[in-house]
């Protein structure tokens, strides 16, 4: 007797705008809803909308559509997500372009994950400027951004990224969070 197993593909799903600014979703509820929708081994990382899950499909666009539809139905909000595989998450981490500054200022390292290079280009073209302590650089479909700790929300770039037109196209994660997400993927080979 042979046992048939379904192929499983692991993805990171980054939800935009939950548990900040009004949309509250408990991580246990998020896991339950996604599991009921047919995803397996659903795990959350922190409480800010980072999910690692297994899907039967290898198509990230299908995972995105299914997750967004599920979240909209279950929680009643206009959900937007960005889906990445292990290699893409690792590439975001590895692509961080800034070396630590030697000015003694503690900084946050962010990856603004977008739906495409054109979004990054538009964000940089429309950018109102950076403070002298900030740095930003394009890296494919990611805008890397570094800002002094304590000034993230007050920075010009932060306010620019919060514009409604970017809501369905971007989500921002601290690089430390990206490392934690990557650690949730199954070991390679």
């Amino acid at each position: 007797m042979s046992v048939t197993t379904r192929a499983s593909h692991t993805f990171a799903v980054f939800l935009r705008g939950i548990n900040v600014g009004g949309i509250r979703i408990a991580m246990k509820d998020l896991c339950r809803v996604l599991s009921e929708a047919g995803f397996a081994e659903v795990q959350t990382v922190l409480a800010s909308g980072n999910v690692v899950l297994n899907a039967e499909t290898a198509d990230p666009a299908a995972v995105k559509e299914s997750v967004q539809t599920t979240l909209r139905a279950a929680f009643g909000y206009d959900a937007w997500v960005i889906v990445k595989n292990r290699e893409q998450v690792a590439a975001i981490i590895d692509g961080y372009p800034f070396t630590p500054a030697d000015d003694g200022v503690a900084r946050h390292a962010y990856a603004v994950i977008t739906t495409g290079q054109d979004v990054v280009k538009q964000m940089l073209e429309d950018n109102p400027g950076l403070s002298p302590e900030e740095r930003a650089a394009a890296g494919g479909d990611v805008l890397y951004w570094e800002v002094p700790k304590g000034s993230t929300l007050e920075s010009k770039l932060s306010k620019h990224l919060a514009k409604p037109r970017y809501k369905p196209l971007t989500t921002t994660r601290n690089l430390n969070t990206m490392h934690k997400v990557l650690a949730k993927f199954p070991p390679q080979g």
Side-chain angles (χ1 to χ4, degrees):
M1 180 167 137
S2 67
V3 177
T4 304
T5 59
R6 294 181 179 170
S8 182
H9 306 277
T10 306
F11 293 98
V13 180
F14 300 99
L15 285 66
R16 168 111 171 47
I18 70 158
N19 298 338
V20 293
I23 300 166
R24 299 276 178 220
I25 299 174
M27 295 301 98
K28 66 179 170 99
D29 294 336
L30 179 59
C31 287
R32 177 185 49 78
V33 164
L34 292 174
S35 294
E36 289 171 357
F39 296 103
E41 299 182 39
V42 179
Q43 307 171 66
T44 59
V45 180
L46 305 173
S48 54
N50 308 293
V51 179
V52 177
L53 52 73
N54 287 350
E56 289 183 22
T57 180
D59 180 10
V63 173
K64 176 180 179 168
E65 184 60 35
S66 179
V67 169
Q68 287 181 164
T69 300
T70 298
L71 296 177
R72 289 171 181 162
F75 300 111
Y77 80 105
D78 204 6
W80 291 289
V81 305
I82 295 177
V83 176
K84 298 289 185 187
N85 64 31
R86 175 188 239 293
E87 292 74 26
Q88 291 168 318
V89 173
I92 290 170
I93 294 167
D94 293 343
Y96 191 76
F98 305 120
T99 56
D102 59 1
D103 59 5
V105 176
R107 291 180 168 78
H108 286 294
Y110 293 110
V112 181
I113 308 165
T114 73
T115 57
Q117 292 181 358
D118 55 328
V119 177
V120 173
K121 181 180 177 189
Q122 185 68 45
M123 287 188 306
L124 288 172
E125 286 175 359
D126 294 346
N127 178 19
L130 300 172
S131 69
E133 300 86 21
E134 288 181 281
R135 298 189 277 187
D141 63 353
V142 176
L143 176 66
Y144 293 103
W145 174 39
E146 188 177 86
V147 62
K149 288 185 177 182
S151 65
T152 299
L153 296 178
E154 293 79 34
S155 76
K156 287 182 185 178
L157 185 57
S158 175
K159 291 176 183 177
H160 176 64
L161 297 174
K163 290 181 179 176
R165 71 174 170 244
Y166 296 127
K167 192 172 185 178
L169 307 173
T170 68
T171 190
T172 302
R173 294 297 185 274
N174 188 293
L175 218 57
N176 294 329
T177 300
M178 297 300 291
H179 282 280
K180 290 175 183 175
V181 168
L182 184 61
K184 291 289 186 179
F185 278 84
Q188 286 185 308

